[in-house]
DNA sequence: TACATACAC
DNA sequence: AATGGTGTATGTA
């Protein structure tokens, strides 16, 4: 959406067009410790350099020294290294090579020219400061004050008053407050925006039934067909009224149609939209930004007009050329689209065929003319940022929580997936993803979790003996396919096992049978918590009475999948997990066991867990393990194997995060002392 | 296939 | 107290 980019223009670009980008980089560099990517990306007219400098200084002061800032520096270095590598490559080329490439590029360009198409009229509609505009509409007291939508962590958008202070989308609220102490931050109301978006879409569909929404506030239309039909419209079909009954009749040209669309949007929603009209989507998108807000712009449908438009257009304005590409291109003197043509010989040698072809098309002002909905979705994911989590038990609990949420979403769209990707972001903002593909697609929480958990376990082990300190975790399913009815009813061995297990025991002896009850069990108000866990209030780490029965099914280790005999309370449970994770097949384990001065210490040959139990319980454990193992062997194709053991994917944890102080929620009970 | 990056919104 | 979430595409190995 217009308000979410890290750059935008809201008045006609005019002078900005030529020098905006350069200006900005210079100003930013002087105030942000050389960190361009942190600076206010702003090429708005009417904002003095003084303001810009002050804004960048505030941003810098608020950011420097933070983990976030350090990571931005790291990434900046990476980009610099890429540019340096590129530079080196460039120097290895000789002039003759480049000339040759130019000829080749010209041939490609001829092919592109061949495809140039003026037969379609493409429109890009973009609501102005959408979320903020909706909030202002519904609460007029917000109208003439600086205001933004979002939270203290992140703003989705800001109104134009706030933008004058440098407050913009994708800026954390606390920095925005510093820039503009009077800023009012309104929380997002997605349901409301969705409704408004629906109202707008209803209008757009009348001009193009195949209209393609890109988000809640943006859409592409191909109005070619409408224009043809409109020639036969009578006056009434081109006449619309305001709420007050004031009438307006619109003409038959593309610009008239777009005026009409914008008029109708405003009448219906009291919100304004901007629009671009052009022979292709790439240009239409750029145009909708040109006279924003509440404006429109058309590029005449002939080659010369397009070439004129594209001549001085900064490449950064083009959808698909972002911050990094822009600085890479800038490093070799490519700033405008015509520069892309000038440097075509070099670009051909430096970039992949796909990228280069794209650059050539941009330089010629050629873009896609087919506005149609993308095919089916390719992936679905859930991720969450949180205050640091580093203890394995909590990491696994979080992972399970995410898997549950993801499966819920998958089921809503009746999808199953084959590839599972775990995403983690450390407290240093370093992001890693790990993926594993199953043999068959699934939408089963346990199967999903067993894989995600294995990936997480590997990560935890990888940084052992240091703890894995995370600020974000995510789970993604890809390789999607429809969860057909047949496969819904078809019971896999795995599901059968699950079924036969019947009611599943949860930690602390809680017994639930279905997901609903599982979840309701987690609610604070749930009677189980208040009534069935005596002593829980006073000593969350104390052993609840109900869990001291002989059968320790309450504690299921997420690493080894066992119900270790020695786990009688949370503290020992956590110790068991750590033991499992970090002291498996090596000497350390013996050390640890020795430290504890246990009389009995046996390592289960199947699951490798060290058990500190009398010989007969040990044997029982091994028997159980072997049994389970045999079954798992059958199921192994569906679960990620590890050298040590195969996983069953039994749900290890209650997974709901406490909502408020979480006094009595189960997750709290996992926070054992130590 | 797995992973990292870039990008959009 | 302190910088988001969801999805796609692409390059590389």
């Amino acid at each position: 959406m217009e308000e979410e980019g890290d750059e935008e223009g809201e008045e006609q670009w005019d002078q900005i067009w030529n020098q905006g980008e350069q200006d900005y980089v210079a100003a930013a560099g002087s105030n942000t410790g050389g960190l361009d990517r942190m600076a206010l990306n702003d090429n708005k007219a009417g904002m003095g350099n003084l303001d810009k400098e002050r804004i960048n200084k505030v941003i810098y002061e608020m950011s420097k020294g933070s983990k976030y800032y350090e990571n931005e520096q790291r990434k900046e270095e990476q980009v610099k290294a890429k540019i340096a590598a590129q530079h080196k490559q460039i120097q290895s080329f000789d002039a003759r090579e480049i000339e040759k490439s130019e000829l080749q590029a010209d041939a490609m360009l001829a092919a592109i020219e061949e495809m140039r198409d003026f037969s379609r009229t493409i429109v890009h509609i973009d609501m102005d400061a959408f979320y903020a505009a909706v909030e202002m509409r519904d609460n007029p007291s917000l109208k003439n004050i600086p205001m933004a939508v979002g939270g203290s962590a992140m703003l989705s958008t800001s109104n134009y008053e706030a933008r004058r202070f440098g407050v913009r989308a994708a800026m954390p609220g606390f920095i925005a407050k510093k820039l503009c102490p009077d800023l009012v931050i309104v929380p997002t109301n997605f349901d409301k925006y969705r409704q408004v978006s629906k109202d707008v879409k209803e209008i757009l569909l009348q001009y193009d039934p195949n209209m393609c929404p890109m988000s809640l506030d943006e859409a592409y239309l191909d109005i070619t067909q409408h224009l043809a039909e409109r020639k036969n419209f009578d006056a009434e079909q081109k006449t619309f009224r305001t709420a007050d009954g004031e009438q307006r009749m619109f003409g038959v040209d593309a610009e008239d149609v777009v005026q009409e669309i914008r008029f109708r949007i405003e009448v219906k929603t009291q919100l304004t939209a901007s629009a671009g009209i052009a022979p292709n989507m790439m240009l239409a998108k750029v145009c909708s930004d040109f006279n924003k807000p509440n404006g429109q712009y058309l590029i005449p449908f002939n080659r010369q007009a397009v070439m004129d438009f594209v001549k001085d257009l900064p490449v950064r304005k083009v959808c698909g050329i972002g911050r990094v590409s822009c600085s890479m291109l800038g490093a070799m003197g490519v700033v405008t689209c015509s520069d892309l043509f000038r440097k075509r010989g070099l670009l051909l040698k430096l970039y992949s065929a796909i990228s280069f072809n794209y650059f050539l098309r941009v330089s010629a002002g050629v873009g896609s003319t087919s506005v149609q909905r993308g095919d089916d979705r390719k992936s679905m994911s859930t991720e969450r940022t949180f205050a640091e989590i580093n203890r394995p038990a909590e990491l696994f609990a979080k992972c399970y929580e995410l898997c549950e949420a993801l499966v819920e979403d998958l089921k809503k769209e009746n999808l199953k997936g084959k590839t599972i990707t775990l995403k983690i972001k450390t407290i240093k903002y370093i992001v890693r993803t790990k993926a594993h593909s199953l043999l068959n697609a699934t939408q089963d929480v346990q199967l999903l979790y067993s894989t995600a958990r294995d990936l997480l376990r590997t990560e935890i082990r990888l940084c052992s003996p240091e703890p894995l300190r995370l600020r974000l975790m995510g789970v993604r399913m890809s390789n999607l396919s429809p969860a057909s009815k047949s496969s819904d009813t078809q019971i896999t061995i795995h599901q059968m096992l699950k079924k036969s297990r019947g009611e599943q025991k949860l930690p602390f002896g809680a017994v639930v049978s279905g997901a609903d009850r599982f979840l309701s069990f987690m609610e604070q108000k749930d009677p189980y918590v208040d009534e069935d866990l005596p002593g829980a209030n006073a000593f969350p780490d104390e052993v609840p009475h109900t869990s001291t029965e002989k059968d320790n099914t309450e504690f299921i280790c997420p690493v080894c999948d066992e119900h270790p005999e020695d786990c009688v309370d949370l503290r020992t449970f956590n110790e068991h997990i750590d033991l499992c994770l970090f002291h498996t097949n090596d000497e350390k384990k013996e050390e640890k066991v020795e430290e504890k001065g246990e009389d009995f210490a046996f390592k289960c040959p199947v699951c490798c867990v060290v058990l500190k139990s009398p010989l007969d319980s040990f044997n029982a454990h091994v028997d159980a393990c072997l049994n389970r193992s045999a079954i798992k062997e059958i199921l192994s194709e569906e679960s990620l194997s590890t050298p040590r053991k195969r996983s069953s994917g039994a749900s290890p944890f209650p997974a709901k995060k406490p909502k408020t102080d979480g006094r009595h929620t189960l997750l709290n009970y996992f926070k054992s002392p130590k």
Side-chain angles (χ1 to χ4, degrees):
Chain A
M1 61 176 71
E2 158 259 327
E3 62 270 25
E4 285 215 350
D6 47 14
E7 123 182 73
E8 66 200 56
E10 48 184 62
E11 290 154 29
Q12 199 155 346
W13 300 335
D14 287 345
Q15 303 141 331
I16 313 158
W17 194 276
N18 276 316
Q19 34 83 283
E21 203 75 19
Q22 302 254 330
D23 243 16
Y24 146 66
V25 168
S30 65
N31 292 303
T32 57
L35 249 193
D36 296 352
R37 48 190 309 130
M38 297 285 305
L40 177 73
N41 194 336
D42 185 308
N43 42 20
K44 223 172 282 183
M47 188 183 277
N49 259 340
L50 261 182
D51 281 334
K52 256 195 252 181
E53 271 182 35
R54 199 198 118 248
I55 289 163
N56 282 331
K57 186 160 185 181
V58 172
I59 294 174
Y60 171 61
E61 291 299 328
M62 293 300 289
S63 301
K64 70 171 176 195
S66 68
K67 292 275 197 306
Y68 177 81
Y69 182 80
E70 279 170 23
N71 188 249
E72 289 301 299
Q73 283 183 306
R74 189 180 61 82
K75 290 203 274 188
E76 180 99 344
E77 289 308 312
Q78 280 179 17
V79 173
K80 275 188 192 159
K82 266 169 93 173
I83 290 173
Q86 192 187 63
H87 193 71
K88 205 171 166 185
Q89 212 184 335
I90 290 172
Q91 286 178 327
S92 76
F93 300 147
D94 75 53
R96 222 186 311 272
E97 282 182 278
I98 305 281
E99 272 171 43
K100 232 175 151 182
S101 297
E102 270 177 21
L103 290 177
Q104 203 183 327
D106 289 340
M108 292 173 72
L109 213 43
I112 289 169
E113 198 63 55
E114 201 66 23
M115 294 161 45
R116 198 188 283 276
D117 179 5
F118 292 113
S119 69
R120 314 300 306 179
T121 303
I122 309 297
V123 177
H124 182 253
I125 301 280
D126 192 338
M127 301 295 291
D128 301 321
F130 187 50
Y131 299 172
V134 173
E135 297 302 335
M136 285 161 75
R137 178 194 72 176
D138 294 350
N139 181 359
S141 75
L142 298 170
K143 234 160 201 170
N144 294 309
I145 60 171
M147 167 273 219
V149 178
S152 66
M154 185 61 58
L155 301 180
S156 298
T157 185
S158 56
N159 68 2
Y160 285 85
E161 287 284 329
R163 290 183 199 190
R164 289 225 298 271
F165 293 86
V167 173
R168 25 211 32 240
M171 177 181 276
F174 71 96
I175 291 180
K177 272 286 199 184
K178 210 78 175 179
L179 285 169
C180 175
D182 292 334
L183 181 74
V184 174
I185 298 178
V186 181
T188 49
N189 284 295
F190 272 104
D191 291 337
K192 210 154 76 174
Y193 313 144
R194 259 189 290 272
Q195 181 54 52
V196 180
S197 182
K198 208 180 124 199
D199 292 343
V200 173
K201 271 177 213 160
E202 268 172 29
I203 294 171
L204 300 184
L205 282 169
Q206 296 173 33
Y207 298 85
D208 177 9
N210 296 315
M211 170 268 311
C212 182
M214 302 304 288
S215 62
L216 290 181
D217 80 320
E218 231 180 84
Y220 289 98
L221 284 73
D222 179 342
I223 61 167
T224 314
Q225 178 86 15
H226 173 86
L227 284 170
E229 290 165 5
R230 193 179 176 88
K231 286 180 181 153
N232 306 316
F233 275 20
D234 56 34
E236 198 178 338
Q237 287 173 287
K238 292 176 286 190
T239 303
F240 296 88
R241 344 186 137 58
T242 62
D244 305 334
E246 187 191 327
Q247 280 193 27
R248 251 185 93 178
M249 188 169 92
F250 295 87
V252 295
D253 294 340
E255 289 187 272
D256 301 323
V257 171
V258 173
Q259 291 284 1
E260 179 180 297
I261 293 173
R262 292 177 43 238
F263 177 79
R264 292 182 64 188
I265 289 174
E266 190 168 0
V267 169
K268 189 167 184 180
T269 68
Q270 304 166 59
L271 302 169
T272 64
S274 297
I277 311 156
N280 64 58
M281 296 204 287
M282 177 242 132
L283 292 173
K285 173 92 167 86
V286 180
C287 287
S288 70
D289 194 45
F290 194 73
N291 276 329
K292 178 168 277 294
N294 198 13
Q296 63 184 60
Y297 187 81
L298 171 142
I299 296 179
F301 286 50
N302 64 74
R303 183 176 187 280
Q304 192 54 51
V306 168
M307 294 311 281
D308 287 347
F309 183 84
V310 135
K311 179 169 172 288
D312 293 323
L313 177 67
V315 289
R316 188 63 176 83
K317 290 281 176 192
V318 177
C319 187
I321 300 181
R323 232 179 358 201
V324 175
S325 306
C326 190
S327 36
M328 303 262 291
L329 290 169
M332 45 184 146
V334 174
V335 177
T336 67
C337 293
S338 43
D339 292 335
L340 286 173
F341 175 77
R342 280 199 306 112
K343 298 279 184 177
R344 63 195 182 287
L346 195 54
L347 295 173
L348 171 68
K349 297 184 71 64
L350 286 172
Y351 287 87
S352 71
I354 290 175
S355 298
F356 180 67
N357 198 257
Y358 168 68
F359 288 152
L360 274 192
R361 286 167 62 98
V362 169
S363 79
V366 171
S368 168
T369 55
S370 89
V371 174
Q372 53 184 341
R373 196 95 77 263
D375 347 58
D376 297 328
R377 74 150 73 232
K378 306 215 167 24
S379 72
M380 187 180 277
S381 66
T382 305
E383 68 185 59
R384 224 145 298 282
T385 294
F386 37 71
E388 173 172 353
I389 297 182
N390 58 55
R391 302 189 30 174
E394 290 176 46
L395 289 169
F396 287 116
K398 178 60 71 179
C399 182
Y400 187 74
E401 196 180 312
L402 290 165
C403 289
E404 272 189 315
L406 179 56
V407 162
E408 199 183 314
D409 292 345
L410 282 168
K411 286 184 174 165
K412 266 186 227 156
E413 295 192 27
N414 230 289
L415 290 169
K416 50 186 183 161
K418 278 180 78 166
T419 304
I420 290 139
T421 306
L422 178 79
K423 175 178 174 180
I424 59 177
K425 192 195 279 176
T426 68
I427 57 164
K428 291 179 174 174
Y429 290 86
I430 291 165
V431 175
R432 280 197 295 271
T433 60
K434 299 286 161 176
H436 178 80
S437 291
L438 305 174
L439 258 49
N440 299 300
T442 186
Q443 60 171 184
D444 181 279
V445 196
Q446 310 306 341
L447 285 177
L448 171 58
Y449 174 69
S450 72
T451 302
R453 180 201 61 183
D454 288 352
L455 295 167
L456 174 60
R457 182 168 58 192
T458 303
E459 285 304 299
I460 294 174
R461 286 196 173 126
L462 224 58
C463 65
S464 133
E466 294 302 314
L468 181 64
R469 308 178 64 187
L470 299 188
R471 71 174 343 265
L472 171 145
M473 193 187 296
V475 182
R476 176 161 70 248
M477 268 288 204
S478 48
N479 242 312
L480 300 178
S481 51
S484 61
K485 276 182 191 136
S486 67
S487 86
D488 271 351
T489 48
Q490 185 183 26
I491 295 182
T492 66
I493 298 175
H494 192 276
Q495 285 167 329
M496 220 158 85
L497 276 173
K498 221 173 48 183
K499 275 224 167 95
S500 71
R501 250 185 258 137
E503 298 204 325
Q504 211 175 356
K505 278 203 170 180
L506 286 169
F508 307 109
V511 177
V512 291
S513 55
D516 290 344
R517 289 191 62 197
F518 177 86
L519 286 174
S520 76
F521 170 75
M522 302 304 300
E523 299 292 339
Q524 286 186 36
K525 60 177 190 291
D526 194 289
Y528 283 126
V529 177
D530 291 338
E531 295 163 21
D532 291 359
L533 299 177
N537 296 353
F539 301 106
D541 302 311
E542 235 20 70
V543 189
H545 187 255
T546 49
S547 74
T548 55
E549 296 160 9
K550 298 162 202 160
D551 174 353
N552 273 330
T553 46
E554 293 88 343
F555 295 100
I556 304 170
C557 171
V559 183
C560 71
D561 268 338
E562 303 306 321
H563 313 298
E565 311 281 334
D566 58 330
C567 288
V568 291
D569 63 12
L570 267 171
R571 193 173 48 76
T572 48
F573 182 49
N574 272 315
E575 279 169 7
H576 167 90
I577 294 176
D578 288 345
L579 211 67
C580 256
L581 280 166
F582 307 129
H583 308 285
T584 48
N585 303 316
D586 50 48
E587 330 74 22
K588 283 184 196 165
K589 179 165 35 188
E590 270 80 43
E591 281 169 28
K592 183 112 180 187
V593 170
E594 221 142 66
E595 275 170 31
K596 293 185 163 190
E598 295 294 336
D599 292 322
F600 301 98
F602 302 109
K603 183 171 91 173
C604 167
V606 185
C607 74
C608 299
V609 177
V610 175
L611 297 162
K612 307 166 292 178
S613 41
L615 195 54
D616 49 349
S617 349
F618 174 70
N619 284 331
H621 170 92
V622 176
D623 282 347
C625 241
L626 282 169
N627 260 328
R628 223 177 272 117
S629 242
I631 294 161
K632 280 172 206 155
E633 207 56 41
I634 300 167
L635 297 171
S636 62
E637 61 163 22
E638 289 195 302
S639 89
L640 175 61
S641 66
T642 71
R644 284 177 51 229
K645 141 165 244 335
R646 300 193 183 276
S647 50
S648 77
S651 85
F653 286 129
K656 197 142 178 177
K657 201 177 171 180
K659 279 200 174 112
T660 52
D661 61 359
R663 298 175 297 156
H664 306 149
T665 66
L666 281 172
L667 192 56
N668 260 13
Y669 296 149
F670 281 107
K671 294 177 182 162
S672 73
K674 272 196 173 174

